[in-house]
């Protein structure tokens, strides 16, 4: 076979396998690294022998370096300064004190349990101090936890990667050059971090200036300018001081995020796609190059080493680093449990195995095997159980309460009052001054502004609210607002009214109430006092009959289900709702009696009473 075609075929198979693994993981809602590792090992030398990463030669090292640069830049770009400010103390401790604890504890475990010589044991520990955004990010998307916990884990994953990589290089240099003095080691670490940070901050500022001022550039070209800039900063930093490039790209991403450049969300989407591709390719190639025999040869001592790292060292580190934080014990326990290792550990370990062999030092392949064993155990044990642990600890964001409602119309105000009566925080947003004033008169918290402004959404507290509901009269506007909120803040429950409009993203934006629901029509009923407020509780023996009557009233346009209390949680009804035994439904029912009859009976009101009527409307035929 022609050598160039053989190399092309290797890359094609790698990309196809990587993206296939991503698709399967997305479908099954598990961390993608699980299938990337399985596919890589299956296609490698210990499997079907289809992939041969060593055929790439030094090109594999180049591919790893440039890909990791993109991954860490995207990680820095995703960090929010406002969110990081809430956990800054704990984050600082995890990156500094936590790194030291893992280095010392991991080194001791590798020496005493894994029977590695002290230098090699500490080299292993330096490689696994990192957690890694490539695993943490996808994991937290599938396991929606409290936002402070997610921010702390994401921030640690991004910021500790360059620190860990530089630390590992310093430890390696110390092993190779045994005459290194302690002051030289500290100076080397400080210089790499400082030079990388300086170049990254300056470069990030320059990139933000270019994006903001060069209006003649198309958005697509701006994306490529940023990509070229990231690699340029990485190369410049590496040229200035080896292994400082990772810190440079992280800082560039953080600066670009803080600069609030135009169309930042689209830039992040582009970089996110590149990151997914890079992670897919790297994990497949590095896993394919792994020798399972070398992992098995490590013995049970190495398994115990990893278990101590997971169950002793990590919890101790988190306990000390979050000692003065306002996180409760459930939050701390989840953070202690979730620390899977990722691509930086794998790539640097693969590189170090080569460098140690070249230097004539034994232990390179053993270090690589132990690092991959750590990745395998942390990913499969911690990654696959994270969802169950979060639910067991009751820290999932789905348990978050409160609501941000866009639209101070009668229906929005009614739902806001119902939430508020249950003791939940509610903030309404609208540009209509008259509607905002009416909402204020009803005791609701209101922000008179556009919900397109992310600062307004932050001021409304969307990051800590359980529900984001868009109820304007314009279906297209509702979808735009909901999708923007989804991309920026990922609220646990995202709902919008868009009757008659196909949902382009069913997994994120839920259609509120009913498919044929009209905000304008039901607002008019409320304005005309043609509405009664009621509730019903679905009972097991009458569930089918209640559902039939409810469906009939809905189909006749007489009843609109609003809120559902289930498991002590108040939720806005969606169009795909399925009623269960024990559910308590709050609804509004059209009062179809003539206006004169209503006046004679004294039921005409200038404002809808929030006193919920007995459950007679559904239980009796009309």
């Amino acid at each position: 076979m022609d050598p160039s075609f053989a190399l092309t075929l290797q890359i094609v198979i790698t990309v196809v396998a990587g993206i296939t693994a991503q698709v399967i993981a997305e479908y099954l809602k598990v961390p993608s690294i699980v299938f990337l590792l399985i596919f890589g090992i299956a296609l490698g030398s210990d499997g079907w022998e289809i992939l041969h990463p060593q055929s790439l030669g030094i090109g594999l090292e180049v591919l790893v370096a440039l890909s990791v640069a993109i991954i860490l830049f995207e990680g820095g770009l995703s960090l929010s300064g406002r969110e990081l400010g809430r956990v800054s103390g704990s984050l600082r401790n995890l990156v500094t004190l936590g790194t030291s604890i893992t280095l010392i504890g991991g080194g001791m475990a590798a020496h005493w349990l894994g029977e590695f010589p002290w230098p090699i044991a500490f080299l292993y520990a330096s490689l696994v101090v990192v957690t890694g955004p490539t695993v943490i990010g996808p994991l937290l998307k599938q396991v929606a936890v409290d936002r402070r916990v997610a921010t702390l884990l994401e921030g640690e994953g991004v910021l500790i990667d360059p620190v860990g990589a530089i630390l590992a290089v310093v430890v390696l240099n110390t092993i190779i050059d045994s005459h290194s003095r302690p002051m030289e080691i500290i100076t080397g670490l400080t210089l790499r971090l400082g030079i990388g940070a300086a170049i990254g901050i300056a470069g990030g500022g320059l990139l933000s200036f270019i994006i903001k001022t060069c209006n003649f550039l198309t958005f697509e070209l701006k994306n490529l300018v940023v990509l070229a800039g990231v690699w340029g900063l990485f190369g410049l930093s590496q040229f200035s001081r080896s292994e400082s490039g990772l810190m440079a790209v992280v800082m560039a991403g953080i600066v670009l995020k803080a600069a609030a450049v135009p169309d930042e969300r689209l830039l992040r989407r582009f970089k996110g796609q590149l990151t997914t591709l890079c992670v897919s390719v790297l994990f497949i190639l590095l896993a394919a190059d792994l020798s399972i025999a070398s992992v098995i040869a490590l013995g049970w001592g190495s398994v115990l080493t990893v278990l101590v790292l997971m169950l002793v060292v990590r919890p101790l580190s988190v306990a000390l680093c979050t000692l003065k934080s306002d996180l409760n014990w459930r939050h701390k326990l989840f953070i202690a449990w979730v620390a899977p290792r990722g691509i930086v550990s794998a790539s640097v370990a693969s590189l170090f195995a080569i460098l140690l062999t070249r230097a004539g030092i034994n232990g390179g392949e053993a270090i690589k095997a132990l690092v991959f064993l750590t990745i395998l155990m942390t990913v499969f044990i911690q990654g696959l159980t994270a969802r169950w642990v979060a639910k067991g600890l009751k820290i999932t964001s789905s348990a978050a309460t409160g609501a941000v409602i866009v639209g101070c119309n009668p229906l929005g105000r009614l739902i806001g009052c119902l939430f508020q009566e249950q003791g939940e925080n509610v903030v309404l947003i609208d540009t209509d001054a008259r509607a905002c004033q009416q909402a204020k008169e009803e005791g609701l918290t209101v922000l008179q502004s556009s919900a397109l402004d992310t600062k307004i959404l932050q001021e409304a507290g969307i990051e800590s609210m359980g529900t984001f509901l868009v109820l304007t009269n314009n279906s297209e506007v509702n979808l735009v607002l909901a999708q923007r909120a989804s991309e920026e803040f990922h609220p646990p429950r995202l709902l919008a009214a868009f009757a008659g409009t196909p949902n382009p993203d069913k997994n994120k934006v839920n259609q509120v109430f009913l498919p044929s629901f009209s905000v304008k029509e039901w607002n008019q009923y409320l304005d005309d006092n043609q509405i009664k407020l009621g509730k019903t509780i679905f009972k097991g023996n009458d569930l089918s009959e209640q559902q039939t009557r409810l469906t009939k009233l809905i189909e006749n346009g007489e009843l609109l289900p609003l809120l559902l209390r289930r498991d002590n949680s108040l939720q806005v009804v969606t169009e795909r709702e399925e009623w269960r035994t024990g559910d308590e439904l709050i609804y509004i029912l059209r009062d179809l009696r003539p206006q004169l009859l209503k006046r004679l009976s004294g039921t005409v009101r200038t404002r809808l009473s929030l006193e919920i009527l007995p459950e007679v409307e559904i239980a009796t035929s009309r």
Side-chain angles (χ1 to χ4, degrees):
M1 185 183 294
D2 181 66
S4 63
F5 177 73
L7 191 59
T8 302
L9 193 59
Q10 290 282 298
I11 298 298
V12 169
I13 293 172
T14 301
V15 173
V16 171
I19 300 304
T20 301
Q22 293 280 359
V23 171
I24 295 173
E26 184 72 19
Y27 178 76
L28 296 177
K29 302 299 181 185
V30 298
S32 58
I33 189 176
V34 171
F35 288 99
L36 290 172
L37 289 171
I38 292 173
F39 281 29
I41 293 171
L43 294 171
S45 57
D46 282 354
W48 298 323
E49 297 185 352
I50 296 175
L51 287 180
H52 305 282
Q54 63 275 13
S55 64
L56 296 174
I58 197 171
L60 180 60
E61 297 177 30
V62 175
L63 182 63
V64 168
L66 295 179
S67 297
V68 170
I70 292 176
I71 292 166
L72 291 184
F73 172 76
E74 194 269 340
L77 191 62
S78 66
L79 294 179
S80 168
R82 186 173 184 271
E83 293 181 355
L84 289 177
R86 298 177 179 178
V87 293
S88 57
S90 299
L91 180 58
R92 180 194 62 241
N93 293 340
L94 282 172
V95 175
T96 53
L97 177 61
T99 298
S100 302
I101 292 172
T102 305
L103 178 65
I104 296 171
M108 294 168 65
H111 175 71
W112 287 330
L113 298 175
E115 299 182 354
F116 282 84
W118 280 114
I120 301 299
F122 278 110
L123 182 59
Y124 158 75
S126 70
L127 288 168
V128 295
V129 298
V130 301
T131 52
T134 57
V135 186
I136 292 292
L139 181 63
L140 292 177
K141 288 179 181 177
Q142 294 163 0
V143 185
V145 295
D146 181 275
R147 192 59 206 161
R148 287 179 304 163
V149 174
T151 299
L152 187 56
L153 286 171
E154 288 170 348
E156 179 194 16
V158 171
L159 295 177
I160 207 171
D161 266 2
V163 174
I166 292 171
L167 176 64
V169 169
V170 171
V171 174
L172 176 68
N173 290 340
T174 304
I175 293 173
I176 294 176
D177 182 8
S178 57
H179 301 292
S180 298
R181 299 176 181 177
M183 186 55 66
E184 292 177 355
I185 296 172
I186 296 173
T187 302
L189 179 63
T190 306
L191 274 177
R192 285 180 170 90
L193 290 172
I195 290 172
I199 291 176
I201 292 171
L206 179 60
L207 282 175
S208 64
F209 175 78
I210 292 172
I211 293 175
K212 286 181 176 180
T213 57
C214 296
N215 297 324
F216 62 90
L217 295 176
T218 63
F219 174 74
E220 289 78 10
L221 192 53
K222 285 181 179 179
N223 278 341
L224 296 178
V225 167
V226 173
L227 176 61
V230 170
W231 278 341
L233 292 172
F234 177 75
L236 176 62
S237 189
Q238 288 286 93
F239 177 77
S240 302
R241 191 79 179 189
S242 64
E243 306 310 321
S244 64
L246 297 184
M247 177 58 78
V249 294
V250 168
M251 294 308 300
I254 293 174
V255 170
L256 204 60
K257 170 71 175 181
V261 297
D263 294 319
E264 176 202 315
R265 60 193 180 91
L266 298 178
L267 175 63
R268 282 195 287 113
R269 180 181 296 175
F270 173 67
K271 290 298 180 287
Q273 292 168 345
L274 281 180
T275 295
T276 300
L277 177 61
C278 291
V279 169
S280 303
V281 170
L282 290 188
F283 265 118
I284 292 290
L285 288 175
L286 295 177
D289 196 37
L290 177 66
S291 169
I292 299 299
S294 64
V295 176
I296 296 174
L298 293 173
W300 287 105
S302 294
V303 174
L304 291 175
T305 298
V306 180
L307 289 175
V308 167
L309 190 71
M310 293 168 54
L311 304 178
V312 178
V313 177
R314 174 66 176 182
L316 176 63
S317 172
V318 171
L320 293 176
C321 293
T322 60
L323 194 61
K324 295 183 179 180
S325 72
D326 59 352
L327 297 170
N328 61 42
W329 69 270
R330 291 186 177 88
H331 295 151
K332 294 178 182 180
L333 187 56
F334 183 79
I335 295 169
W337 178 248
V338 178
R341 273 54 178 183
I343 194 66
V344 172
S345 292
S347 58
V348 177
S350 298
L351 176 62
F352 282 11
I354 298 171
L355 295 178
L356 286 172
T357 302
R358 288 177 184 171
I361 299 174
N362 294 327
E365 284 302 317
I367 279 286
K368 179 181 173 182
L370 184 54
V371 168
F372 268 91
L373 176 64
T374 306
I375 294 173
L376 288 167
M377 289 181 64
T378 55
V379 166
F380 279 87
I381 296 174
Q382 296 176 336
L384 293 179
T385 61
R387 181 179 301 171
W388 299 328
V389 172
K391 287 183 178 179
L393 294 173
K394 298 180 180 179
I395 62 168
T396 57
S397 59
S398 59
T401 60
V404 174
I405 302 173
V406 180
C408 287
N409 49 49
L411 193 56
R413 299 198 305 270
L414 172 60
I415 294 174
C417 289
L418 289 169
F419 265 102
Q420 196 162 271
E421 280 205 338
Q422 301 299 318
E424 298 195 16
N425 294 326
V426 179
V427 178
L428 274 70
I429 303 174
D430 206 317
T431 55
D432 188 329
R434 184 169 174 270
C436 289
Q437 183 59 37
Q438 287 180 295
K440 290 178 182 177
E441 291 173 358
E442 295 179 12
L444 295 165
T445 303
V446 181
L447 295 176
Q448 185 181 335
S449 186
S450 169
L452 282 172
D453 188 344
T454 54
K455 293 182 180 179
I456 292 297
L457 294 179
Q458 288 177 331
E459 185 179 345
I462 187 174
E463 294 155 325
S464 60
M465 296 288 198
T467 299
F468 182 73
L469 172 62
V470 191
L471 275 179
T472 76
N473 289 330
N474 190 313
S475 291
E476 293 181 358
V477 170
N478 293 347
L479 273 175
V480 169
L481 292 173
Q483 289 166 349
R484 181 70 180 274
S486 172
E487 293 170 354
E488 295 288 342
F489 301 104
H490 313 291
R493 293 180 289 278
L494 183 61
L495 307 101
F498 47 94
T501 305
N503 187 350
D505 198 347
K506 290 184 178 180
N507 293 325
K508 293 183 179 179
V509 184
N510 289 304
Q511 194 172 32
V512 72
F513 306 141
L514 304 170
S516 57
F517 164 68
S518 169
V519 176
K520 186 175 181 180
E521 185 177 305
W522 282 92
N523 277 332
Q524 191 62 52
Y525 296 152
L526 285 164
D527 279 335
D528 293 343
N529 297 311
Q530 296 181 8
I531 294 296
K532 290 191 292 184
L533 192 61
K535 73 174 180 180
T536 189
I537 298 176
F538 292 96
K539 301 173 182 177
N541 53 344
D542 297 325
L543 181 60
S544 178
E545 185 178 352
Q546 286 177 297
Q547 288 176 328
T548 302
R549 290 171 179 167
L550 176 65
T551 303
K552 184 177 180 181
L553 290 171
I554 290 174
E555 290 175 349
N556 290 340
E558 299 178 44
L559 183 144
L560 182 67
L562 294 181
L563 302 178
L564 186 68
R565 179 173 292 282
R566 176 181 292 163
D567 300 328
N568 294 321
S569 174
L570 193 64
Q571 304 175 16
V572 179
V573 174
T574 66
E575 55 95 7
R576 291 175 286 176
E577 205 70 68
E578 295 181 1
W579 320 116
R580 305 175 190 171
T581 301
D583 286 348
E584 179 182 307
L585 177 68
I586 300 175
Y587 56 86
I588 50 178
L589 191 72
R590 288 179 61 192
D591 189 349
L592 302 178
R593 292 177 297 167
Q595 289 288 329
L596 177 60
L597 182 58
K598 285 191 282 187
R599 288 193 184 96
L600 292 173
S601 62
T603 57
V604 173
R605 302 179 294 277
T606 57
R607 177 185 170 193
L608 181 65
S609 170
L610 291 183
E611 180 183 355
I612 299 178
L613 301 175
E615 48 176 317
V616 295
E617 288 82 1
I618 295 178
T620 58
S621 59
R622 295 170 57 82

